[in-house]
Amino acid sequence: MPTHNEVQKAYQDVKHLAVTDGFLIDASGYKFYNISKFTFDSLLADPENIEANFRDYLAGFSSNI
C-alpha cells in the first residue's frame, strides 16, 4: 500500500483515542487501512516467521475488511 508510512504515523498520533477510524482512513486515502508494521515486502523478507507476521498483518486491517 503506497500510504503505509502515512497510516503508521497517523496511528502513532491517534492510537490513544477512543475513535481512530476517521484519522486512519484519511491517512490511507482509501475506505480501509492497515496498522500492521508489515507489508508484503517485509513479510517475504522474513520467511522464518511468515506465519506469525502474516497473522499480524491480517489483524492490522480495519474492521470493514
Side-chain angles (χ1 to χ4, degrees):
M1 181 179 293
T3 58
H4 181 256
N5 291 335
E6 288 81 2
V7 172
Q8 292 296 302
K9 289 176 192 172
Y11 179 65
Q12 290 305 312
D13 291 342
V14 301
K15 66 183 179 182
H16 66 282
L17 300 175
V19 178
T20 60
D21 280 349
F23 297 105
L24 299 174
I25 288 170
D26 286 347
S28 78
Y30 299 95
K31 294 184 185 228
F32 65 93
Y33 58 87
N34 188 315
I35 58 171
S36 172
K37 66 181 180 177
F38 296 104
T39 64
F40 282 125
D41 290 335
S42 64
L43 287 170
L44 295 174
D46 186 12
E48 297 289 319
N49 298 300
I50 196 157
E51 181 179 355
N53 295 348
F54 187 63
R55 289 180 187 276
D56 180 83
Y57 176 75
L58 290 177
F61 277 102
S62 53
S63 62
N64 62 338
I65 293 296

